[in-house]
């Protein structure tokens, strides 16, 4: 049960005066919620910068182009003429040194007069510009009377926003949310509070949202760092609870005599790499230990993780038990089954697939065979964790964390068996600090080599102004029978602000004008069967150019494809560029990747393209990515909108990750059931940061 103390923070934001259905919709989008956000979500949405309004010059001394706060008297209004005029509503104001003009475009009649009554004194804040030699402020940020001005600190927070949401409305909502903050108990130990100079949580939230000094909102400052530590501690404590549960003594163990594994290895068309052999050995060792396995297998695109997972499943099948492999997308699940089936058949291993597409009698038949123990390995998507999916004896859960399943999904899968061993696959090599952040203290195996026969990929960067040359080159490649991926960032025309991006349908049409039926199209809005057909036609070389969005980023395997063009490459993260490029270079022919960028290139984008051009080593790319962009993109969370950390930033708070982990371990040693006063406080922490799915484990087994 959630502690009652937290109820004010779990109230919907619509309980705040002034937040109606329209604002609710905008806040859902901004805060990444499918339902109405909680007041806690507002309080944990932190500002990114501040505006300093403490500079209060006279009108005569105001420097154009700077943020100024003026104390003025309102002299007169000149409303916009009626009809369709685009002229602004002008307000003439003055002080003892001169006059200035405030301009409001598309103003509601009467609204500006009410805000700025003639003859009254007002404090005006905004960016001043010279217009016909007179200081002008267009749409001032702040217009406030003397009483209101006395209450302001003079420093305003600036928040990340979404289209249609005004900064003033968000500031008002956050201000009211702060008044709902209950007196929370302290969950951080006095020793850590002292060592890290952390303030209490209420002070941290108030100082970040209502800064007194410009430095109050810096991520490395004490206020933000306190909140980052809370978030990291909640994550580490949840992982530690899961790990304590998974590390319990495990009874009968799950590895046989190696007979099935030998049959699979003999059926492989190549030898296992050294790191594959080491990983297989480590997993077999884990499966014979008296505690459950919890291992992360990370390797680059095409380093052979699926084969290692299959050998782990074979070890389990040797003692008559079952394996589940859960992938985040259907395309990836089908790719796994395509790799696994021919090898499994050679060893007599019975495999099946279960996704949202298997329905009716087919699904019933799969579930019946699974419950009877007639399927050794079931591959699938979230469909695997539905209530009616029952294994006869599940012993191994393989979770492909391409975009990170939450603790909840992982637990739902392992709860389908007794003392289930867990193997997590990651196709994005993850720097060690992030392994700790996202996975806790797992055992880690790394696959650093590519299987024999893989060809190097040459990567080049070209300005989009040379598009015609690129298309001519593609024409020559099509004539030579080559297969080409052409990647674009969008499905169709976007309403996004900023420079126009290429979209898939537009590029498909333009290439089809030149190459006819040799061009195919695949994107995320197509039905599964349509996507499969487009992919199958490309794999069979019926089409030679496949125009696609990032839907092909994972799990697409066409060894004959040797060329990739990525348009608007500057818009993609490093990890994503690396994943996309990994779709080529999978066969015996040399491959080429062309990155087309729009000029001018920003500094970060230029660095990204330089890194991707210089190396194909995913581990180095992951480290560089962490330096350039923080943690979001390393795990693919930014693009896919999946849960990362809202407050903690591994590039700034790396040393806090280790401290949070040590603290979580200490807590579980001293108080594994989270009882007593501090235990109650820690339960508040887990609920506040939505890590409470780990709490039921305290009473389990």
């Amino acid at each position: 049960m959630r502690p009652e103390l937290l109820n004010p923070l779990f109230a919907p934001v619509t309980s705040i005066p002034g937040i109606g259905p329209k604002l609710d919709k905008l806040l859902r989008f901004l805060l990444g919620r499918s339902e109405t956000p909680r007041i806690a979500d507002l309080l944990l949405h932190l500002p990114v910068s501040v505006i300093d309004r403490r500079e209060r010059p006279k009108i005569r001394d105001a420097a154009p182009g700077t943020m100024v706060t003026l104390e003025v008297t309102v002299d007169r209004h000149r409303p916009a003429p009626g009809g369709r005029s685009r002229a602004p509503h002008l307000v003439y104001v003055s002080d003892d040194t001169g006059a200035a003009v405030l301009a409001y475009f598309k103003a509601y009649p009467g609204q500006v007069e009410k805000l700025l009554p003639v003859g009254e004194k007002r404090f005006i804040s905004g960016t001043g510009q010279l217009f016909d030699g007179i200081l002008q402020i267009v749409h001032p940020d702040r217009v406030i009377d003397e009483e209101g001005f006395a209450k302001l600190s003079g420093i305003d927070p600036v928040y990340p926003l979404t289209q249609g949401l005004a900064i003033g409305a968000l500031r008002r909502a956050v201000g009211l949310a702060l008044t709902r903050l209950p007196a929370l108990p302290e969950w951080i130990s006095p020793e850590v509070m002292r060592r890290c100079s952390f303030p209490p949580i209420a002070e941290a939230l108030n100082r970040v949202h209502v800064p007194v000094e410009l430095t109050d909102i810096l991520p490395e400052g004490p206020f933000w760092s306190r909140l980052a530590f809370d978030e990291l501690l909640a994550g580490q404590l949840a992982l530690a609870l899961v790990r304590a549960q998974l590390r319990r003594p495990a009874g009968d163990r799950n590895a046989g005599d190696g007979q099935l594994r030998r049959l699979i290895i003999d059926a492989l068309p190549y030898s296992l790499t050294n790191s594959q052999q080491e990983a297989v050995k480590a997993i077999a060792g884990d499966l014979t230990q008296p505690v459950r396995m919890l291992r992360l297998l990370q390797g680059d695109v095409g380093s052979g993780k699926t084969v290692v997972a299959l050998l782990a499943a074979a070890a389990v099948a040797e003692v008559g038990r079952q394996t589940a492999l859960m992938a985040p997308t259907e395309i990836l699940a089908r790719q796994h089954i395509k790799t696994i089936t021919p090898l499994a058949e050679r060893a007599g291993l019975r495999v099946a697939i279960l996704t949202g597409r298997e329905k009716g009698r087919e699904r019933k038949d799969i579930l019946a065979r699974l419950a009877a123990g007639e399927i050794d390995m079931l591959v699938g998507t979230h469909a695997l964790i539905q209530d009616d999916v029952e294994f006869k004896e599940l012993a191994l859960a393989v979770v492909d964390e391409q975009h990170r399943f939450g603790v909840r999904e992982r637990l739902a899968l392992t709860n389908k068996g007794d003392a289930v061993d867990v193997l997590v696959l990651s196709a994005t090599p993850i720097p060690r600090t992030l392994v700790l952040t996202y996975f806790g203290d797992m055992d880690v195996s790394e696959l650093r080599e590519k299987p024999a026969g893989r060809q190097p990929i040459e990567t080049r960067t070209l300005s989009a102004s040379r598009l015609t040359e690129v298309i001519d080159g593609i024409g020559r490649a099509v004539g030579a029978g080559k297969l080409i991926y052409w990647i674009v960032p969008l499905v169709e025309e976007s309403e996004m602000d900023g420079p126009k991006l290429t979209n898939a349908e537009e590029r498909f049409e333009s290439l089809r004008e030149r190459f006819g039926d040799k061009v195919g199209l695949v994107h995320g809005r197509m039905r599964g069967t349509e996507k499969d057909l487009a992919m199958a036609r490309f794999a069979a070389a019926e089409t030679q150019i496949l125009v696609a969005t990032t839907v092909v980023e994972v799990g697409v395997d066409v060894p004959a494809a040797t060329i990739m063009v990525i348009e608007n490459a500057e818009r993609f993260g490093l990890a994503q560029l690396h994943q996309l490029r990994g779709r080529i270079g999978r066969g015996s022919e040399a491959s080429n990747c062309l990155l087309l960028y729009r000029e001018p290139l920003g500094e970060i984008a230029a660095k990204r393209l330089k890194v991707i051009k210089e190396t194909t080593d995913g581990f180095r790319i992951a480290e560089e990515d962490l330096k350039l962009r923080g943690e979001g993109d390393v795990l693919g969370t930014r693009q896919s909108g999946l849960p990362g950390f809202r407050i903690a930033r591994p590039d700034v708070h790396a040393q806090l990750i280790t401290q949070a982990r040590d603290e979580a371990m200490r807590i579980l040693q001293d108080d594994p059931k989270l009882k007593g006063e501090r235990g109650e406080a820690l339960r508040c922490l887990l609920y506040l940061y939505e890590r409470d799915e780990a709490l039921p484990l305290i009473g389990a087994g």
Side-chain angles (χ1 to χ4, degrees):
M1 288 285 289
R2 183 174 75 225
E4 276 183 34
L5 175 72
L6 293 179
N7 287 349
L9 295 177
F10 277 71
V13 292
T14 45
S15 65
I16 292 175
I19 297 187
K22 188 184 170 196
L23 258 182
D24 174 27
K25 192 177 169 191
L26 291 169
L27 288 171
R28 285 181 197 209
F29 189 73
L30 176 71
L31 302 170
R33 312 291 293 195
S34 54
E35 65 285 331
T36 297
R38 315 163 303 159
I39 283 175
D41 297 315
L42 256 188
L43 292 177
L44 298 175
H45 182 68
L46 303 191
V48 283
S49 63
V50 288
I51 294 172
D52 188 356
R53 301 190 192 278
R54 293 174 300 184
E55 185 65 23
R56 283 182 51 200
K58 292 287 190 181
I59 290 176
R60 179 186 59 202
D61 306 322
T66 63
M67 172 65 63
V68 292
T69 300
L70 307 171
E71 183 181 344
V72 298
T73 302
V74 181
D75 297 330
R76 66 187 174 94
H77 286 257
R78 194 178 90 190
R84 302 187 59 142
S85 167
R86 292 186 174 184
H89 180 124
L90 299 179
V91 186
Y92 295 87
V93 298
S94 61
D95 66 10
D96 55 4
T97 68
V101 178
L102 314 177
Y104 288 89
F105 289 87
K106 294 184 180 173
Y108 285 110
Q111 196 179 20
V112 184
E113 285 94 338
K114 194 175 167 189
L115 188 67
L116 291 145
V118 172
E120 295 283 334
K121 183 189 284 186
R122 286 291 180 267
F123 289 85
I124 313 293
S125 193
T127 303
Q129 300 290 358
L130 278 184
F131 189 74
D132 285 347
I134 294 177
L135 185 73
Q136 185 180 73
I137 298 177
V138 178
H139 287 274
D141 296 339
R142 291 264 195 191
V143 175
I144 207 159
D145 62 17
E146 213 158 351
E147 190 187 344
F149 188 71
K151 293 177 189 166
L152 289 183
S153 72
I155 301 173
D156 274 346
V158 177
Y159 294 92
L161 293 171
T162 187
Q163 196 171 5
L165 181 62
I167 184 91
L170 185 60
R171 280 195 197 118
R172 263 194 309 280
V174 172
L176 289 167
L178 282 169
T179 65
R180 307 274 183 96
L181 190 62
L184 293 168
E186 186 52 77
W187 42 70
I188 301 179
S189 69
E191 182 209 340
V192 173
M193 291 286 285
R194 205 166 41 247
R195 186 171 69 230
C196 298
S197 308
F198 286 149
I201 184 167
E203 187 187 347
L205 282 167
N206 275 287
R207 284 289 285 272
V208 167
H209 289 297
V210 189
V212 177
E213 299 295 339
L214 296 179
T215 52
D216 285 355
I217 69 138
L218 292 177
E220 59 272 26
F223 306 112
W224 189 307
S225 290
R226 153 76 209 227
L227 300 171
F229 186 82
D230 286 343
E231 186 177 38
L232 290 166
L233 181 60
Q236 289 300 316
L237 191 53
L239 286 167
L241 286 166
V242 172
R243 190 177 174 81
Q245 170 77 354
L246 290 175
R247 287 300 200 196
R248 285 181 307 140
D252 292 347
R253 295 312 286 136
N254 292 330
D257 57 6
Q259 178 199 347
L260 290 177
R261 280 168 279 174
R262 279 192 292 278
L263 288 172
I264 289 170
I265 289 168
D266 291 344
L268 288 171
Y270 50 79
S271 301
L272 293 176
T273 64
N274 289 337
S275 50
Q276 278 178 312
Q277 288 174 32
E278 281 169 26
V280 168
K281 192 173 157 192
I283 290 165
D286 289 349
L287 293 174
T288 59
Q289 295 301 311
V291 291
R292 294 157 82 177
M293 169 171 78
L294 191 54
R295 183 171 286 276
L296 173 66
L297 175 66
Q298 52 170 345
D300 224 330
V301 179
S303 58
K305 292 179 298 297
T306 310
V307 170
V308 174
L310 174 62
L311 289 165
V316 164
E318 287 163 6
V319 290
R321 296 202 171 110
Q322 293 167 300
T323 295
L325 191 164
M326 184 162 69
T329 64
E330 188 181 326
I331 222 170
L332 198 49
R334 294 198 179 279
Q335 188 56 54
H336 281 310
I337 202 81
K338 188 178 152 197
T339 307
I340 285 166
T341 304
L343 296 167
E345 280 173 354
R346 295 283 289 273
L349 211 62
R350 299 161 298 180
V351 296
I353 185 165
L354 185 67
T355 68
R357 207 192 298 179
E358 282 66 44
K359 291 190 172 78
R361 178 169 291 178
E362 184 187 8
R363 188 171 189 276
K364 264 192 187 138
D365 177 52
I366 291 168
L367 295 184
R369 285 165 50 218
L370 187 69
E374 291 162 18
I375 292 173
D376 299 309
M377 183 178 193
L378 184 63
V379 177
T381 54
H382 281 83
L384 298 188
I385 57 178
Q386 289 172 2
D387 291 344
D388 60 347
V389 178
E390 290 178 17
F391 292 79
K392 186 182 181 192
E393 201 170 358
L394 180 66
L396 173 63
V398 182
V399 183
D400 192 329
E401 295 255 348
Q402 178 56 43
H403 289 312
R404 235 186 115 251
F405 286 106
V407 171
R408 195 174 271 119
E409 287 92 345
R410 249 185 275 172
L411 286 174
L413 189 57
T414 54
N415 287 343
K416 290 190 175 287
D418 253 353
V420 173
D421 287 303
V422 178
L423 178 65
V424 177
L425 310 181
S426 172
T428 310
I430 305 167
R432 185 67 194 146
T433 48
L434 294 187
V435 171
L436 294 175
T437 311
Y438 285 87
F439 299 101
D441 217 354
M442 288 179 116
D443 300 314
V444 180
S445 292
E446 291 178 353
L447 302 182
R448 284 188 171 259
E449 308 124 294
K450 290 272 201 299
R454 286 283 167 102
Q455 292 302 307
I457 301 170
E458 188 189 332
T459 305
R460 286 188 293 152
T461 51
L462 283 175
S463 165
S465 59
R466 296 173 65 185
L467 182 65
T468 313
E469 284 173 58
V470 172
I471 292 174
D472 289 344
I474 292 300
R476 291 190 292 277
V478 166
K482 305 227 179 267
L483 297 189
I484 300 120
Y485 288 104
W486 191 296
I487 308 293
V488 293
L490 300 172
V491 175
E492 56 189 33
E493 189 61 63
S494 159
E495 293 177 7
M496 283 167 56
D497 295 333
K500 187 173 178 296
L501 301 179
T502 314
N503 70 72
E505 287 167 356
E506 178 192 321
R507 180 57 66 222
F508 171 65
E509 290 302 337
S510 71
L511 289 173
R512 211 164 58 156
E513 276 172 29
R514 174 149 176 189
F515 300 111
D517 291 343
K518 290 190 184 337
V519 188
L521 173 68
V522 63
H523 58 68
R525 296 210 191 142
M526 290 161 72
R527 287 204 297 271
T529 45
E530 290 177 318
K531 272 191 274 200
D532 284 354
L533 183 63
M535 289 305 311
R537 292 192 65 212
F538 182 60
E542 289 169 29
T543 54
Q544 285 179 259
I545 302 171
L546 185 67
V547 177
T549 56
T550 54
V551 71
V552 300
E553 181 186 341
V554 290
V556 173
D557 189 17
V558 182
T562 55
I563 296 171
M564 174 166 283
V565 179
I566 303 179
E567 272 195 85
N568 296 113
E570 75 283 357
R571 303 288 302 207
F572 295 99
L574 254 180
Q576 219 176 10
L577 287 171
H578 181 57
Q579 286 282 358
L580 287 165
R581 180 174 61 182
R583 300 300 108 209
I584 57 173
R586 302 171 84 87
S588 53
E589 272 189 72
S591 295
N592 290 281
C593 179
L594 291 179
L595 305 174
L596 296 181
Y597 60 86
R598 293 263 173 100
E599 293 173 293
L601 257 188
E603 185 190 350
I604 297 274
K607 281 182 180 165
R608 276 208 294 264
L609 295 184
K610 182 173 182 283
V611 170
I612 209 84
K613 195 174 148 187
E614 284 174 359
T615 182
T616 54
D617 176 355
F619 286 89
R620 186 188 150 204
I621 285 167
E623 293 289 353
E624 293 293 335
D625 207 5
L626 185 57
K627 283 182 209 160
L628 287 176
R629 283 201 40 163
E631 89 290 1
D633 201 53
V634 179
L635 288 168
T637 58
R638 289 244 164 88
Q639 282 103 344
S640 57
L642 284 145
F645 283 87
R646 279 184 278 196
I647 296 168
R649 297 182 178 178
D651 48 336
V652 177
H653 302 120
Q655 82 289 357
L656 292 183
I657 296 171
T658 318
Q659 296 200 47
R661 195 175 93 255
D662 294 346
E663 180 78 344
M665 296 301 173
R666 248 195 315 276
I667 289 163
L668 281 199
Q669 261 175 348
D670 300 343
D671 182 13
K673 301 280 186 196
L674 298 188
K675 290 190 164 157
E677 207 174 308
R678 187 170 180 214
E680 277 304 307
L682 288 160
R683 285 166 187 260
C684 285
L685 170 72
L686 290 171
Y687 273 102
L688 185 60
Y689 283 94
E690 295 180 289
R691 292 288 196 263
D692 51 286
E693 61 257 44
L695 281 170
L697 296 178
I698 293 174

